Amino acid sequence: NDSFQATSADNLTIGVLDIFGFEVFHKNGLEQLLINFTNEKLQFFFNETIFSNESRVYEIEGIPLDLVEFKNNEATLQLLETRRTGIFAMIDEEIAIPRGSDIKLASKIMKAHSSNTHFAKPNAKQGANIFGICHFAGDVFYDTTGFVEKNRDRLLDGLATLGESSTNIVVNTKFCADATANKKNKQRTVISKFKQQLNTLMTTLEDCAPHFVRCIKSNASKLPDNFHAKDVLSQMLYSGVLEVTRVRKAGFPYRISFDDFARKYHCCIENKEEKLVLKHSTNTNKIYSVPELCLKIPALNSNKESYRIGKTKIFLKATARDALDAARENALRRKVARFQAVIRGVQARETFEEYISIIHKLRVALAKDDAP
């Protein structure tokens, strides 16, 4: 539809990322490890966007604030993707080692990371192929059976040759491209490809202005009209929803620049002289008077803990914002009432003058009729 085409030179897009959820099964393999790693990455991005950026805004504006501590999963990501010593690097390395095996891989991972606080040690009953990771959503134990072979990402030679000789241009192009890539990088694995694609996705997300939608399952059985409060609370804790709520409640979620504040709320000041200064605070010599004049607004002055004045913005709690909006609405209503009174007065005077004119004309007409 041409009506949806962007008119500017910029490539403006709106994207929706619907990601698979955190997976925990009775037996978790390489697939679950990669899926849960993706969720760890997205959770880290969520934390950086919501919490770290929040702290940075307050720091830039010079406003002291003790933010609620949140569960940072950076250490878990380092456990997985650190070069050479991370679990992913060890899985890739096991492919290059002669006679590499799943059991040896599990043993090496256990030996290298057993002292890591984000590494979960399995018990003796779970088996020799098991290792665990303390994810943000809870501990998950993985079975290394099949890790090495699955990570090879290798097609049978006959199948690759068949694809390259295909007369179908789509199939032929795909297999030839894969063959060229494999020649350039013979050691490329499923994990390395997955990480590369995920890093590309994260780069795209970092260049956007993200909004987050958290999906909460009411029950694990996916049944209608079935609400498990414990499961719901657990999901909200792990996804950071409650932490976001605490941060918003502890901080000042509504921010407005001095100029916008002056334009929007100058009507809340009762003193006409101060109101005039605030209204025209965008003038160079008056802009710094805005923080001082904020104290003159009764809606703010009644509760000084409900707002903070930064270097370029005013930070408001919900109570302060609501009080300001109510005061602004009342002030505008008074102005509208005065405006209506003026208009009605003008209309009444015009009507009165019309009546006087009509009466005058009637008197003149009656006087003519009474004349001899």
Side-chain angles (χ1 to χ4, degrees):
N1 192 326
D2 293 338
S3 62
F4 287 99
Q5 296 296 325
T7 56
S8 65
D10 297 331
N11 185 18
L12 304 178
T13 59
I14 297 176
V16 178
L17 173 63
D18 185 8
I19 199 70
F20 32 72
F22 198 83
E23 289 191 355
V24 183
F25 300 129
H26 178 70
K27 182 178 180 180
N28 302 290
L30 182 62
E31 298 85 353
Q32 282 68 49
L33 179 61
L34 294 177
I35 288 173
N36 293 341
F37 169 65
T38 303
N39 281 276
E40 289 283 357
K41 276 281 195 181
L42 292 174
Q43 182 66 22
F44 180 78
F45 176 69
F46 175 81
N47 290 342
E48 283 292 302
T49 303
I50 299 298
F51 298 108
S52 299
N53 290 351
E54 188 85 354
S55 302
R56 198 174 298 116
V57 169
Y58 284 99
E59 183 179 352
I60 292 173
E61 289 290 328
I63 297 177
L65 180 70
D66 296 328
L67 289 176
V68 177
E69 293 185 2
F70 61 92
K71 190 175 181 180
N72 193 327
N73 65 333
E74 186 174 4
T76 303
L77 291 174
Q78 291 176 352
L79 171 65
L80 287 168
E81 60 179 346
T82 300
R83 288 187 176 183
R84 298 183 180 180
T85 59
I87 291 177
F88 284 154
M90 297 180 71
I91 298 173
D92 285 343
E93 184 183 17
E94 196 66 20
I95 294 177
I97 296 176
R99 297 182 181 180
S101 67
D102 299 327
I103 294 179
K104 291 179 180 178
L105 172 62
S107 177
K108 291 176 182 178
I109 292 175
M110 181 69 67
K111 184 178 180 180
H113 300 291
S114 59
S115 61
N116 192 311
T117 56
H118 295 273
F119 185 85
K121 298 179 182 179
N123 55 48
K125 295 181 180 180
Q126 289 178 292
N129 284 15
I130 306 298
F131 71 91
I133 296 177
C134 301
H135 290 286
F136 75 92
D139 297 352
V140 180
F141 290 92
Y142 299 95
D143 189 338
T144 60
T145 302
F147 266 41
V148 175
E149 188 59 33
K150 289 178 181 178
N151 194 36
R152 291 186 192 278
D153 192 31
R154 183 179 62 187
L155 288 175
L156 296 175
D157 294 337
L159 181 59
T161 304
L162 179 64
E164 292 174 26
S165 61
S166 174
T167 56
N168 186 298
I169 188 171
V170 176
V171 175
N172 180 272
T173 302
K174 174 61 179 174
F175 275 89
C176 289
D178 288 347
T180 303
N182 290 333
K183 289 178 181 179
K184 291 181 179 179
N185 189 359
K186 295 182 180 180
Q187 297 299 324
R188 197 174 187 194
T189 62
V190 169
I191 290 177
S192 62
K193 288 182 180 179
F194 190 88
K195 286 175 61 179
Q196 182 182 7
Q197 294 170 354
L198 183 57
N199 288 335
T200 302
L201 171 63
M202 299 310 299
T203 301
T204 302
L205 292 177
E206 289 168 1
D207 292 336
C208 300
H211 298 269
F212 298 93
V213 177
R214 289 294 189 183
C215 299
I216 306 296
K217 294 180 181 178
S218 60
N219 62 84
S221 303
K222 300 180 181 179
L223 297 174
D225 301 324
N226 194 339
F227 184 85
H228 288 183
K230 186 177 180 180
D231 292 343
V232 171
L233 178 60
S234 177
Q235 293 175 73
M236 295 180 71
L237 286 171
Y238 291 144
S239 62
V241 173
L242 296 183
E243 290 172 337
V244 172
T245 305
R246 293 192 189 101
V247 167
R248 288 294 184 180
K249 186 176 180 180
F252 301 87
Y254 302 99
R255 299 89 189 260
I256 184 170
S257 67
F258 288 163
D259 292 345
D260 291 340
F261 182 87
R263 281 190 289 268
K264 186 173 183 179
Y265 295 114
H266 73 273
C267 58
C268 299
I269 294 181
E270 298 177 358
N271 185 290
K272 293 183 179 180
E273 182 179 353
E274 292 172 345
K275 185 187 299 185
L276 184 64
V277 175
L278 181 58
K279 183 178 180 180
H280 299 287
S281 62
T282 52
N283 296 336
T284 305
N285 60 335
K286 295 295 184 181
I287 190 169
Y288 296 106
S289 64
V290 173
E292 298 175 358
L293 289 174
C294 287
L295 301 175
K296 304 298 183 181
I297 300 178
L300 286 180
N301 199 28
S302 60
N303 186 4
K304 296 182 180 180
E305 294 300 319
S306 63
Y307 72 96
R308 292 289 185 274
I309 299 175
K311 297 177 181 178
T312 62
K313 299 178 181 178
I314 297 174
F315 291 66
L316 304 169
K317 286 184 177 291
T319 53
R321 198 279 305 267
D322 293 342
L324 278 172
D325 287 344
R328 181 173 181 268
E329 184 176 353
N330 291 333
L332 292 178
R333 282 181 177 177
R334 289 194 296 270
K335 284 190 174 184
V336 169
R338 288 196 294 269
F339 180 75
Q340 289 175 337
V342 171
I343 296 299
R344 288 169 181 162
V346 171
Q347 292 176 339
R349 284 189 289 273
E350 290 178 350
T351 302
F352 178 75
E353 290 176 358
E354 289 179 2
Y355 288 161
I356 293 298
S357 177
I358 292 172
I359 292 172
H360 177 71
K361 291 178 181 179
L362 288 173
R363 286 177 177 175
V364 171
L366 291 173
K368 289 181 179 180
D369 292 341
D370 293 340

